[in-house]
Amino acid sequence: MTTTYTTPPPAVPPAPGAPAGPPGGRPRRRRGPLARVLVVLGLVVVLFVGAVVAVVGVAWARAATSTAGAVEFTRPLAVPPLAESRVEDGVRVFELEARAGVADLGASAPTPTIGLNGDYLGPTLRAARGERVRVDVTNALDETTTLHWHGMHLPPAMDGGPHQMVEPGETWSPTWTIDQPAATLWYHPHLHGRTASQVYRGLAGMFLLDDPAAADGPAAGLPHEYGVDDVPVILQDKSFHPDGRLDDAASFLSPVGTLGDTVLVNGTPGPYLDVTTERVRLRLLNGSDSRVYDVGLADGGTVQLVGTDGGLLPAPRTVERVRLSPGDRAEVVVTMAPGQRAVLRSFPPELGVNPLFERFSGGDDTFDLLELRAAPTLAPSPAVPDTLGTDPADVLDEADAVRTRTFQLSGRSINGRSMDISRVDEVVTVGETEVWEVTGLDDTPHNFHVHDVQFRVLDVGGQPPAPDLDGWQDTVYVQPGRVTRLLVRFEAAEGATDPSTPYMFHCHLLTHEDQGMMGQLVVVAPGERAPSRIDVPDGATHPDHADTLPGDGTGPRHLAPDPHGTTH
């Protein structure tokens, strides 16, 4: 057998001054400029994704807040005083002055605030059905404001929406007749684009309505001594800067707006209420910008739900929790034992959105709100009556509905349109019953508030409404992807319609509202027509909201030509 050997050629030494090549004499393959760019970009992408994951991870860990068992209840609950009033020519007159102030809200230092007749929040207005009232609203601030009577049935020119602005140094005096059942209402600014800021800083208060016709009825047995066994509970979440100033900045991951890490009750941090009667009636108000509360007793006990937005329920409902989205009210009666201490807590609300948005919308948060401290001996209280108010089903019947309107909430628009203060979006005929179908299209919490009316909730996603939606409502939480059907009927306030002055409908998450999730409707008489465009008051704020989709509303419009000869 013959073996053949192959001898490699002799290595040729490099020329003097030439770079040395790789072993074996093979030429080195050099990476081109494009390849180097791609490698660098890949590294940048990896680093960026890693940084985003790290930031989101830290934000996720910090997003959930719980004060359960950690609140020191050391301050007596501040109860807003009842507003003074006088009667002039048969009209009950209140005076409110919006002013700047400084308040102790439990921060590291006194907090600059705004309030009505005081440093923070305002007094409780109280009037009776059938009374004619006037509220002289004076603006002593250095900024424009308005004051809206949330839940009130009244003429649109008195409503206090974006069209009824009160400039610095001016006084606005809306006057109307109270014409609705006893209820827990409230008032707050409604300046377009600035509502969230002004409410957050303190412009808000309660407006309680009494009904003399029911004074001797079954509901007379409910606790009713203001500040003793009938107590306002205004819930507002806040965050603070290190120097004590309010911090209303929203997390960059929050889809809803500002969420504070501290909850104040009537402006009081860590509040307790001394209870001297067997039963105490708490009038709950969610006065927050964006936060949804799910309120109950920390020990899992039950309360009796007796009222919602528009007044008393037909009968009390025994419940463990009451969900309150921004603007919602509820009246609950808590039964106490001598010497008992009970904590009112907000449990994580079920928002019905994806886990990421749930967490960054406050859906995983728990707050201890208020401690109830029963005296060793309690004055006896009557049992809660079995019958209370009017059943909405006895007043509004779906069989009477003459049309259905659709309201789709997405982004910061309704039916694809953002707020235009000069545009009429819907025209409603007085006295006609309608079904309104409200749906959240995006995976974001929203709610829906309608001015001037109290509506009946027919169903949510085809299911009967929960107990907290069983009575009269003006604000309702809108769970994404589920149709909430409302039965609505507008009556002419004080017997007259006004086709040129609008009411609002909008999301009451105030950041959403400010950013354009609001529309306008006018109420007309049968056969009456309305303009498609209306006059805008001088100096009206009108942020530049771009329509996200083309649209022209979904309800019958009945519009007359506007002065420029166009219709919509």
Side-chain angles (χ1 to χ4, degrees), residues 283-342:
R283 297 180 185 253
L284 306 173
L285 160 63
N286 183 349
S288 294
D289 175 337
S290 308
R291 185 174 294 283
V292 178
Y293 299 98
D294 195 16
V295 180
L297 296 175
D299 63 4
T302 61
V303 299
Q304 289 176 287
L305 178 66
V306 298
T308 53
D309 293 344
L312 297 175
L313 294 173
R317 303 289 295 271
T318 300
V319 299
E320 291 185 2
R321 312 267 183 85
V322 177
R323 183 172 65 184
L324 298 170
S325 65
D328 267 332
R329 288 89 63 211
E331 298 180 33
V332 299
V333 174
V334 183
T335 300
M336 301 288 289
Q340 179 186 2
R341 292 197 175 189

Side-chain angles (χ1 to χ4, degrees), residues 16-37:
R26 295 186 184 88
R28 176 174 292 170
R29 300 180 65 182
R30 304 188 63 183
R31 203 175 271 124
L34 178 59
R36 289 198 298 274
V37 169

Side-chain angles (χ1 to χ4, degrees), residues 77-80 124 206 226-227 230-234 265-266 281 283:
L77 176 68
V79 177
T124 297
M206 278 196 172
Y226 183 82
D230 184 357
V231 182
V233 177
I234 303 173
V265 182
N266 301 345
R281 177 184 189 177
R283 297 180 185 253

Side-chain angles (χ1 to χ4, degrees), residues 72-131:
E72 295 182 5
F73 297 103
T74 58
R75 302 197 190 195
L77 176 68
V79 177
L82 287 172
E84 296 181 357
S85 65
R86 64 185 186 274
V87 177
E88 294 181 355
D89 299 324
V91 178
R92 182 169 299 281
V93 180
F94 299 93
E95 294 183 354
L96 292 177
E97 181 182 76
R99 62 178 74 155
V102 176
D104 178 5
L105 302 181
S108 59
T111 300
T113 56
I114 53 180
L116 292 134
N117 296 4
D119 291 325
Y120 186 79
L121 297 178
T124 297
L125 277 61
R126 191 159 201 165
R129 188 173 195 173
E131 279 193 304

Side-chain angles (χ1 to χ4, degrees), residues 169-182:
E170 292 186 351
T171 297
W172 175 57
S173 298
T175 305
W176 72 97
T177 299
I178 305 295
D179 186 20
Q180 60 194 102

Side-chain angles (χ1 to χ4, degrees), residues 268-282:
T268 310
Y272 66 86
L273 175 67
D274 287 325
V275 177
T276 58
T277 57
E278 287 181 338
R279 292 180 178 84
V280 60
R281 177 184 189 177
L282 304 178

Side-chain angles (χ1 to χ4, degrees), residues 193-233:
R194 297 285 293 167
T195 298
S197 171
Q198 293 189 349
V199 173
Y200 195 79
R201 287 180 285 153
L203 287 191
M206 278 196 172
F207 200 140
L208 305 185
L209 302 185
D210 299 315
D211 190 347
D216 297 326
L222 290 174
H224 58 270
E225 187 175 353
Y226 183 82
V228 178
D229 61 357
D230 184 357
V231 182
V233 177

Side-chain angles (χ1 to χ4, degrees), residues 155-519:
M158 310 298 168
D159 187 51
H163 292 263
Q164 291 89 45
M165 298 187 303
V166 188
E167 301 294 342
E170 292 186 351
T171 297
W172 175 57
S173 298
T175 305
W176 72 97
T177 299
I178 305 295
D179 186 20
Q180 60 194 102
T184 299
L185 311 183
W186 67 303
Y187 58 89
H188 61 81
H190 214 302
L191 186 68
H192 185 37
R194 297 285 293 167
T195 298
S197 171
Q198 293 189 349
V199 173
Y200 195 79
R201 287 180 285 153
L203 287 191
M206 278 196 172
F207 200 140
L208 305 185
L209 302 185
D210 299 315
D211 190 347
D216 297 326
L222 290 174
H224 58 270
E225 187 175 353
Y226 183 82
V228 178
D229 61 357
D230 184 357
V231 182
V233 177
I234 303 173
L235 305 176
Q236 295 177 304
D237 59 331
K238 307 292 179 189
S239 291
F240 299 93
H241 290 289
D243 62 1
R245 291 178 298 118
L246 286 166
D247 180 4
D248 63 355
S251 164
F252 76 101
L253 290 172
S254 170
V256 294
T258 302
L259 293 171
D261 55 15
T262 299
V263 176
L264 307 179
V265 182
N266 301 345
T268 310
Y272 66 86
L273 175 67
D274 287 325
V275 177
T276 58
T277 57
E278 287 181 338
R279 292 180 178 84
V280 60
R281 177 184 189 177
L282 304 178
R283 297 180 185 253
L284 306 173
L285 160 63
N286 183 349
S288 294
D289 175 337
S290 308
R291 185 174 294 283
V292 178
Y293 299 98
D294 195 16
V295 180
L297 296 175
D299 63 4
T302 61
V303 299
Q304 289 176 287
L305 178 66
V306 298
T308 53
D309 293 344
L312 297 175
L313 294 173
R317 303 289 295 271
T318 300
V319 299
E320 291 185 2
R321 312 267 183 85
V322 177
R323 183 172 65 184
L324 298 170
S325 65
D328 267 332
R329 288 89 63 211
E331 298 180 33
V332 299
V333 174
V334 183
T335 300
M336 301 288 289
Q340 179 186 2
R341 292 197 175 189
V343 172
L344 201 66
R345 174 176 291 174
S346 176
F347 295 85
E350 189 172 325
L351 301 179
V353 299
N354 69 70
L356 184 68
F357 279 13
E358 184 100 16
R359 192 171 186 89
F360 289 108
S361 299
D364 293 337
D365 295 349
T366 302
F367 290 97
D368 280 355
L369 307 171
L370 171 68
E371 185 178 62
L372 305 176
R373 298 179 178 178
T377 302
L378 298 175
S381 302
V384 173
D386 293 332
T387 302
L388 295 171
T390 303
D391 190 341
D394 293 337
V395 180
L396 293 178
D397 187 343
E398 186 178 359
D400 296 331
V402 298
R403 67 181 57 81
T404 297
R405 298 180 194 256
T406 301
F407 298 87
Q408 298 179 332
L409 281 57
S410 179
R412 300 298 182 267
S413 68
I414 300 177
N415 293 337
R417 309 180 82 177
S418 291
M419 172 65 172
D420 180 343
I421 199 170
S422 64
R423 184 185 66 225
V424 173
D425 295 290
E426 304 290 343
V427 179
V428 178
T429 300
V430 69
E432 291 187 343
T433 302
E434 301 184 347
V435 174
W436 287 17
E437 296 182 343
V438 186
T439 311
L441 297 185
D442 53 0
D443 202 11
T444 302
H446 297 295
N447 71 1
F448 193 70
H449 169 55
V450 187
H451 289 206
D452 186 59
V453 295
Q454 297 293 330
F455 50 74
R456 174 188 168 196
V457 179
L458 290 172
D459 49 64
V460 178
Q463 300 299 314
D468 57 338
L469 296 178
D470 205 24
W472 293 108
Q473 307 289 329
D474 55 54
T475 307
V476 62
Y477 182 73
V478 179
Q479 185 168 319
R482 302 182 71 188
V483 178
T484 300
R485 295 198 315 135
L486 316 175
L487 202 57
V488 182
R489 185 172 67 207
F490 284 84
E491 302 292 353
E494 302 189 357
T497 57
D498 186 346
S500 61
T501 306
Y503 297 107
M504 305 295 121
F505 57 88
H506 57 89
C507 178
H508 214 285
L509 276 66
L510 298 182
T511 299
H512 290 182
E513 170 189 332
D514 280 346
Q515 294 176 350
M517 187 169 270
M518 182 159 58

